[in-house]
């Protein structure tokens, strides 16, 4: 009788443990929905492309060959207050302006053009204020980023997006050379100027661990 | 009721002609090739949606219809006005299985596909023109235009203009009974086959 009771208790414990794992344990497979991928293309790809350009410009001599032919600048290095640079190189960021924020380790970047992400290219405008968290300048540094922008697509669809009032941190993912974004992205979708959806995405570093919530 | 009136009007117009020709009844099966004339996605596109990050807002927020299957039955009556010309009426009834991918404005998950049955009934006055009459075989073309009545199961009936052009059809057989195969362009079918009987 004792053995039977112990056996039943052991089975019950195993079943309840499995149930606990199913309910509260980490999911073993996380997939991104199409909307998550769309928003990640703004938060992950769009902003990080601009940050890479900023880092390149920061390491460029304004009077050197690259500084003269790839950028239009006012002769000041980007680390100096009052520095203003414009990307002069053919490519997706042509015409982007970078301005040093006076007295801060931060830069304001304005982009206005057809930004192409994963094959789709539509008029996009955004303003990014990127504050450097590291003391030395290099590649793939840690940034705190505020951004807001709009994108105009076909058939009357537009969207606006921003960092939802909390700066998004761009940090290097451990053991890789790519950034992970940490923070929130707020996107509002319009059809013929009428709001049809509002979505908040939480960015938790890895692309697959981002999640979205529809806000009414 | 409207359908019956349409058929009767068309039939009486044909029968009131004075020509002394033969009557012919055709029973046919067929349907359109998926999606070509309906601006719908292919079955591949339906699944690509989930694995591509290149979706636009339109891709994400609008419903898209995909035709999965379509089968139709046609009944054609015609009357020989001239040796090379037959006039008549082409009635086609068909059932279509459609998968609709709902836009994200309604639902955001990987299972936002659902299937729907759609029935079509097409009535078209028709002219059949003989190109060549050979030994036991006849090559012909056909033109038709009329109305299509579409019913999404559970929804209200919709009407639209229907048309069909058959640039090439082949009819072969003995005496009064023939086999028929034809290729067409239009709203009702793209390929049909069946039998016909002349009396």
């Amino acid at each position: 009788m004792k053995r039977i009771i112990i056996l039943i208790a052991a089975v019950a414990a195993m079943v309840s443990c499995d149930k606990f794992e199913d309910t509260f344990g980490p999911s073993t497979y996380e997939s991104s929905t199409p909307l998550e991928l769309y928003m990640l293309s703004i938060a992950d790809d769009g902003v990080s492309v601009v940050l890479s350009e900023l880092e390149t410009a920061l390491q460029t001599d304004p009077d050197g060959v690259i500084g003269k032919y790839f950028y239009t600048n006012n002769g000041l290095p980007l680390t100096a207050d009052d520095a203003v640079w414009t990307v002069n190189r053919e490519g997706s960021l042509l015409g982007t302006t970078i301005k040093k924020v006076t007295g801060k380790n931060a830069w304001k970047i304005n982009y206005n053009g057809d930004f192409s992400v994963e094959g789709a290219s539509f008029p996009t405008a955004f303003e990014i204020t990127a504050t450097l968290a590291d003391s030395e300048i290099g590649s793939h540094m840690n940034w705190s980023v505020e951004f807001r922008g709009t994108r105009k697509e076909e058939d009357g669809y537009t969207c606006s997006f921003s960092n939802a009032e909390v700066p998004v941190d761009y940090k290097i993912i451990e053991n890789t050379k790519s950034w992970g974004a940490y923070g929130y992205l707020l996107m509002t979708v319009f059809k013929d100027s009428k709001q049809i959806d509002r979505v908040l995405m939480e960015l938790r570093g890895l692309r697959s661990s981002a999640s979205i919530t529809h806000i009414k | 009721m409207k359908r019956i009136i349409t058929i009767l009007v068309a039939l009486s117009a044909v029968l009131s002609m004075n020509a002394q020709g033969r009557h012919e009844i055709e029973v046919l099966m067929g349907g359109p090739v998926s999606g070509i004339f309906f601006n719908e996605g292919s079955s591949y596109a339906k699944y690509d949606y989930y694995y591509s990050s290149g979706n636009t807002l339109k891709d994400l927020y609008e419903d898209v219809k995909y035709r999965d299957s379509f089968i139709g039955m046609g009944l054609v009556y015609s009357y020989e006005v001239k040796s090379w010309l037959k006039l008549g009426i082409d009635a086609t009834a068909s059932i279509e299985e459609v998968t609709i991918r709902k836009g994200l404005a309604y639902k955001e998950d990987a299972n936002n596909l659902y299937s729907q049955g759609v029935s079509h009934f097409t009535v078209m006055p028709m002219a059949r023109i003989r190109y060549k009459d050979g030994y036991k075989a006849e090559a012909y073309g056909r033109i038709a235009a009329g109305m299509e009545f579409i019913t999404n199961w559970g929804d209200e009936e919709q009407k639209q203009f229907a048309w069909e052009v058959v640039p090439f059809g082949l009819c072969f057989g003995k005496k009064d009974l023939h086999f028929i195969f034809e290729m067409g362009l239009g709203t009702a079918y793209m390929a049909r086959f069946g039998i016909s009987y002349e009396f």
Side-chain angles (χ1 to χ4, degrees), chain B residues 128-129 131-132 137-143 165-172 180-185 189-192:
Chain B
R128 181 174 145 177
I129 300 144
Y131 299 146
K132 196 168 175 63
E138 175 190 315
Y140 65 89
R142 207 194 287 270
I143 52 168
V165 176
V166 175
F168 179 75
L170 197 61
C171 176
F172 53 93
I180 280 180
F181 174 76
E182 61 187 34
M183 304 282 282
L185 299 172
Y189 54 89
M190 284 196 73
R192 291 201 296 189

Side-chain angles (χ1 to χ4, degrees), chain B residues 163-178:
Chain B
W163 62 278
E164 197 67 38
V165 176
V166 175
F168 179 75
L170 197 61
C171 176
F172 53 93
K174 282 182 181 177
K175 292 183 181 175
D176 305 325
L177 191 64
H178 305 100

Side-chain angles (χ1 to χ4, degrees), chain A:
Chain A
M1 188 62 186
K2 229 180 186 180
R3 283 179 195 169
I4 293 167
I5 291 167
I6 290 167
L7 197 65
I8 289 169
V11 169
M14 280 166 66
V15 168
S16 63
C17 270
D18 280 352
K19 192 123 183 128
F20 182 86
E21 273 287 303
D22 288 348
T23 312
F24 302 105
S27 58
T28 51
Y29 175 72
E30 290 178 285
S31 62
S32 296
T33 65
L35 183 59
E36 285 170 350
L37 289 169
Y38 182 90
M39 293 180 74
L40 283 168
S41 75
I42 294 169
D44 243 17
D45 304 331
V47 176
S48 62
V49 166
V50 173
L51 287 180
S52 293
E53 184 66 42
L54 173 60
E55 290 186 346
T56 304
L58 278 168
Q59 296 174 79
T60 302
D61 175 7
D63 297 322
V65 176
I66 293 173
K68 277 185 178 172
Y69 289 100
F70 285 6
Y71 301 93
T72 302
N73 62 65
N74 58 357
L76 296 170
L78 263 179
T79 47
D81 283 350
D82 302 327
V84 182
W85 288 38
T86 303
V87 178
N88 207 16
R89 188 182 64 251
E90 285 296 326
S92 63
L93 294 176
L94 179 68
T96 300
T97 59
I98 307 168
K99 281 183 189 175
K100 174 77 167 54
V101 178
T102 308
K104 288 184 178 176
N105 214 14
W107 290 263
K108 190 165 272 189
I109 302 134
N110 279 283
Y111 172 83
N112 199 336
D114 286 344
F115 199 89
S116 176
V117 177
E118 302 277 355
S121 181
F122 297 106
T124 306
F126 52 79
E127 183 183 276
I128 293 175
T129 303
T131 304
L132 186 58
D134 296 330
S135 53
E136 286 186 14
I137 291 166
S139 292
H140 278 88
M141 295 173 287
N142 294 314
W143 293 95
S144 176
V145 178
E146 292 172 53
F147 57 88
R148 61 180 65 248
T150 55
R151 186 172 170 132
K152 190 177 177 184
E153 295 196 359
E154 59 197 339
D155 292 342
Y157 282 96
T158 55
C159 70
S160 65
F161 48 89
S162 74
N163 56 297
E165 299 180 6
V166 181
V168 179
D169 291 330
Y170 282 79
K171 294 176 183 172
I172 301 168
I173 297 171
E174 201 175 349
N175 298 328
T176 71
K177 288 181 178 177
S178 61
W179 276 295
Y182 300 82
Y184 293 91
L185 166 64
L186 179 65
M187 183 172 82
T188 310
V189 183
F190 302 89
K191 163 79 173 161
D192 298 326
S193 304
K194 188 185 169 193
Q195 183 180 316
I196 58 169
D197 201 7
R198 201 155 180 251
V199 196
L200 185 69
M201 169 175 264
E202 186 179 357
L203 302 155
R204 294 190 292 258
L206 290 169
R207 290 178 76 94
S208 59
S209 64
S211 62
I212 57 170
T213 310
H214 291 265
I215 305 164
K216 294 293 173 192

